[in-house]
Amino acid sequence: MTNHSWIIISQSDPRSLYLQVIDQIRRRVAVGDLAPGEELPSIRQLAADLQVSVITIKRAYLELEREGVIVTRQGKGSVVADRPDLQSSVQERELQAHLHQAAQLGLMLGLSKTEVQRRIVEAYDRVQRRNK
Amino acid sequence: MNAPIIQILFLKDLFLSRRPLFAYFVAGLGSCVLAGIPQPTIAFIGFILVVTVAIASGIHLIGTLLLSESTDQTRLFVMSLPVSLLDYSLAKIAVVLTTYLIPWLAMFACSTIFAFVLPWAKPGSAVVLPALFFFLLASFMVQLVFAVVTESVGWTISVMVGGNVLLNVFLMMVFSDPEIAAVTKSDVLTWPPLILQILAVEIGVIAVSLLAVLLVQTRKRDLI
Amino acid sequence: MTATLELPTATKLAATLRGVSKSYRHFDLENIDIDLPCGTVTGLIGPNGAGKSTTMRILMGLVRPDSGTVSAFGQPVSSNQANAKSQIGYFCDDMRLYKSESIAWHMQFVRSLFPSWDDDYAAQLLDRFGLVAEQAVKGLSHGQRVKAMLLLVLARHPKLLILDEPTNGLDPVAKHEILIELMKVVEDENRTILYSSHNTQDVEQICDSIIFIDRGRVIAAQNKDDYLEEWRRIKLHVPEAWQPPAIPGLNLESSFRNLRVVSLNRFQEDIPAHLRSSGASIESVERMTLEEIFVSSVMRGREEAKETNE
């Protein structure tokens, strides 16, 4: 039984395990499950809980630190970065990634800039209606 | 050499062979009782059974305690524990000898007591008993040497068969000697020189075999 | 800040093999060098008969090498060293327990030899592995037997675990149970695991380093990420009579009409450009799974062996 059921990774593709861990932690920050300043499990603890190599978790934490999502304190483990704008900056980053992908796909489909814009507006309206 | 470890291994093997040990002990005493019955046919059957028990127990114990540990792959398990090869060998040899000697001593003691205690038995016949029992022990020791050197059941059984043949030769030799025949029918214990010579050879074989077993087993380098 | 995953140079080593060689009638283990840093999980992979089991037995002191040195926890390991074994937990597929006795008897026996035996943990493992202590070994299925033997190893909290194909022939649930317990060992940075398996997916998932043995030699010993990073599979469209350029570590895996699949074991960023300049057009550049690398390595090795024999 894993103590950290907020991280769920699929073990079907071991190569992307480190990406999955990074993704999952970013997600939790984006939706607010992980608050700024909250302590993260130690590298070894998380490795044991997910049955993933220590080296992979280390790499994930290093990458997250590089992105400014977490902070590793010498000898005291890692915490979620204590920035008031953390959640929004992670969300912003996710948005950018999705928009980038949307633009790429639009170009591949041969859509014009205005077409892509129109599609984004439609999607926004749909989501807004559903949220009501 | 780690005495507590040797003791643990010794007791472990003793425990594992508790059933055959008990069976041979009981069968051995039973055969002695049969051999002590005044009816010659039954006594003869009893005698054969005594020899059979001694030989069978030897083969069985060597087979289960020594040889099967290699083939059964339980040896790998034991060797993964904090035991040195020396500890393992000493414990093994000690337990194989002990488990053999328990029924052996029971039969030796029982038959010797019968020779003196049973009203129809001639005390003089007790003179043959050491020669017989030390023969069986010597034969067992030689089997043990072969088992330890060759680690093969095939070789060990060949030695047993050889020992069996020798036993018959030995018995013929012993009982056809007139001096011995005379002593076995007397009420007085006297030791014919032939018996003493035979005993000397047997004890020599036992001592040399024991040394050989210890040397060979402790010289082995690979634990498995 | 560069992400550096190299271990600091003052790392303690749980065990080492230096220049170890061993000759058998039909097989030679040659010049094996292995370092097991404390707190790591090392995966030992290689085809059957490559020498993995022999290497692990030499490390355990069960087999004496013809040359070279073996040490564990800083002390030399020799065939009479019982001390090292009190800190090492060994498992191999060939091991058997005493059929007529129960799991409980074995637990008692092992307990008498190890002061580090943990009764509570042993009870937990019995429960997690779904084993009945009073059951005789001869009534156990293969998977239950393996779990029983691993229980006997795990319950004494050994500092170093040497496991020779522990998940062989286990159903996915049993395998999962075992991996969970193995990874618990990892929580302690002073404990180390050497783990060999044909299940390359497990190795890829839990190991920090990979050691690859083939035909008696170590052909790779690296940090897992670095090792996987060096390999690529590239799909190409090539013109008629195309010859692959002389790139070190390039191997033609398959060809069909004008499609070629090549693998590279020393990938560098400039290689795709080099391939393009030879007239090929690149359809894709992909990373390979450990299993694919394994197969490619062994195949290359066999071709090399054939060439040197000709």
Side-chain angles (χ1 to χ4, degrees), chain C residues 235-302:
Chain C
K235 292 195 185 127
L236 307 162
H237 288 274
V238 302
E240 289 285 325
W242 178 82
Q243 284 300 322
I247 297 175
L250 182 108
N251 193 47
L252 183 64
E253 299 283 328
S254 68
S255 65
F256 177 69
R257 299 209 188 127
N258 71 335
L259 262 172
R260 299 282 182 276
V261 178
V262 300
S263 67
L264 287 148
N265 70 356
R266 258 171 283 172
F267 181 74
Q268 265 145 46
E269 293 301 329
D270 58 355
I271 287 180
H274 195 161
L275 283 167
R276 273 189 223 106
S277 66
S278 78
S281 79
I282 295 184
E283 187 186 290
S284 67
V285 177
E286 296 160 346
R287 286 191 171 70
M288 296 164 72
T289 64
L290 189 57
E291 176 128 350
E292 294 163 335
I293 293 172
F294 181 99
V295 173
S296 179
S297 282
V298 172
M299 291 307 182
R300 285 161 182 246
R302 295 208 181 138

Side-chain angles (χ1 to χ4, degrees), chain C residues 162-175:
Chain C
I162 299 179
L163 307 171
D164 194 349
E165 310 209 18
T167 55
N168 233 17
L170 293 184
D171 68 71
V173 178
K175 197 171 64 107

Side-chain angles (χ1 to χ4, degrees), chain C:
Chain C
M1 184 185 75
T2 47
T4 172
L5 295 159
E6 294 312 311
L7 297 157
T9 47
T11 308
K12 287 186 300 175
L13 293 172
T16 65
L17 291 177
R18 277 279 168 278
V20 162
S21 301
K22 176 88 184 172
S23 259
Y24 288 102
R25 210 191 316 170
H26 298 296
F27 165 76
D28 289 319
L29 205 61
E30 261 176 76
N31 226 351
I32 305 285
D33 280 334
I34 286 178
D35 280 332
L36 294 180
C38 278
T40 60
V41 180
T42 300
L44 188 61
I45 59 175
N48 286 331
K52 302 191 300 294
S53 294
T54 309
T55 301
M56 291 175 128
R57 287 180 186 191
I58 291 176
L59 194 53
M60 250 310 261
L62 292 174
V63 167
R64 219 196 205 199
D66 296 334
S67 63
T69 55
V70 187
S71 57
F73 311 115
Q75 302 294 321
V77 168
S78 72
S79 56
N80 282 314
Q81 182 89 324
N83 276 334
K85 288 194 278 181
S86 66
Q87 304 272 44
I88 304 178
Y90 176 69
F91 170 91
C92 84
D93 214 15
D94 290 343
M95 267 202 310
R96 292 290 181 274
L97 301 174
Y98 293 104
K99 288 200 284 270
S100 53
E101 307 308 323
S102 66
I103 296 177
W105 180 87
H106 286 88
M107 285 166 71
Q108 198 43 48
F109 175 54
V110 172
R111 187 171 184 249
S112 68
L113 292 165
F114 289 96
S116 56
W117 180 270
D118 182 347
D119 273 326
D120 292 329
Y121 186 41
Q124 274 176 37
L125 285 173
L126 270 176
D127 189 45
R128 277 184 212 147
F129 286 169
L131 296 171
V132 177
E134 288 71 40
Q135 195 172 0
V137 168
K138 68 169 160 258
L140 298 176
S141 69
H142 169 79
Q144 288 172 316
R145 188 171 48 76
V146 166
K147 284 193 281 191
M149 288 198 278
L150 285 172
L151 185 158
L152 294 173
V153 167
L154 290 167
R156 49 184 158 104
H157 297 303
K159 284 254 225 18
L160 171 62
L161 278 94
I162 299 179
L163 307 171
D164 194 349
E165 310 209 18
T167 55
N168 233 17
L170 293 184
D171 68 71
V173 178
K175 197 171 64 107
H176 184 67
E177 285 167 351
I178 285 167
L179 284 179
I180 289 179
E181 297 308 321
L182 288 186
M183 287 308 288
K184 288 209 186 118
V185 170
V186 163
E187 283 179 39
D188 183 342
E189 63 185 6
N190 290 315
R191 297 174 70 192
T192 312
I193 301 181
L194 176 66
Y195 164 71
S196 90
S197 179
H198 282 308
N199 199 319
T200 47
Q201 187 172 31
D202 290 340
V203 171
E204 197 170 347
Q205 188 173 315
I206 71 168
C207 293
D208 300 316
S209 320
I210 307 270
I211 296 176
F212 197 143
I213 291 187
D214 189 15
R215 283 168 302 128
R217 278 176 193 68
V218 173
I219 63 176
Q222 258 178 310
N223 164 321
K224 174 191 69 184
D225 286 333
D226 291 346
Y227 186 58
L228 292 175
E229 228 0 74
E230 288 191 351
W231 286 78
R232 291 289 188 286
R233 181 180 47 237
I234 301 184
K235 292 195 185 127
L236 307 162
H237 288 274
V238 302
E240 289 285 325
W242 178 82
Q243 284 300 322
I247 297 175
L250 182 108
N251 193 47
L252 183 64
E253 299 283 328
S254 68
S255 65
F256 177 69
R257 299 209 188 127
N258 71 335
L259 262 172
R260 299 282 182 276
V261 178
V262 300
S263 67
L264 287 148
N265 70 356
R266 258 171 283 172
F267 181 74
Q268 265 145 46
E269 293 301 329
D270 58 355
I271 287 180
H274 195 161
L275 283 167
R276 273 189 223 106
S277 66
S278 78
S281 79
I282 295 184
E283 187 186 290
S284 67
V285 177
E286 296 160 346
R287 286 191 171 70
M288 296 164 72
T289 64
L290 189 57
E291 176 128 350
E292 294 163 335
I293 293 172
F294 181 99
V295 173
S296 179
S297 282
V298 172
M299 291 307 182
R300 285 161 182 246
R302 295 208 181 138
E303 275 167 30
E304 258 169 57
K306 253 192 272 175
E307 277 164 28
T308 50
N309 285 339
E310 278 160 9

